[in-house]
Amino acid sequence: MYAVQQPLAASTLQDVMGVPAWKSHPSWFLVAGNDQAIPPDAERQFAKRMGATTVEVPAGHVAMVSHPDDVAQLIKTAAEAVQTAR
């Protein structure tokens, strides 16, 4: 993952963001219960504010590596829900 990570553009911290998509679209959120980069309580707070369907796994910051099946299932559930809504 490190090999493909790119630095932020210089303008990133100056850009003005519009209305976040989660305010008008359904959202899903994976909480990494053992994350040491983003506190899990903060992740839970973000998910709650978004009204997101939330799944929590006992994983660190890269849950997609340590719990790929859980992540894939969350994506599949989200995709199916969006298809059903259409």
Side-chain angles (χ1 to χ4, degrees):
M1 292 183 301
Y2 171 79
V4 297
Q5 186 170 354
Q6 300 294 315
L8 293 174
S11 65
T12 299
L13 300 176
Q14 297 172 357
D15 289 344
V16 177
M17 188 176 128
V19 177
W22 57 260
K23 288 197 172 198
S24 59
H25 298 291
S27 301
W28 287 261
F29 200 104
L30 182 76
V31 173
N34 300 326
D35 199 330
Q36 293 183 20
I38 302 172
D41 284 341
E43 294 178 16
R44 291 181 197 101
Q45 180 183 353
F46 301 153
K48 183 178 179 181
R49 180 178 61 193
M50 294 165 61
T53 299
T54 305
V55 173
E56 185 162 343
V57 294
H61 191 64
V62 288
M64 70 291 273
V65 173
S66 62
H67 290 75
D69 293 339
D70 293 314
V71 174
Q73 183 58 51
L74 178 63
I75 294 168
K76 182 179 176 184
T77 300
E80 289 171 351
V82 171
Q83 291 297 324
T84 302
R86 287 184 182 175

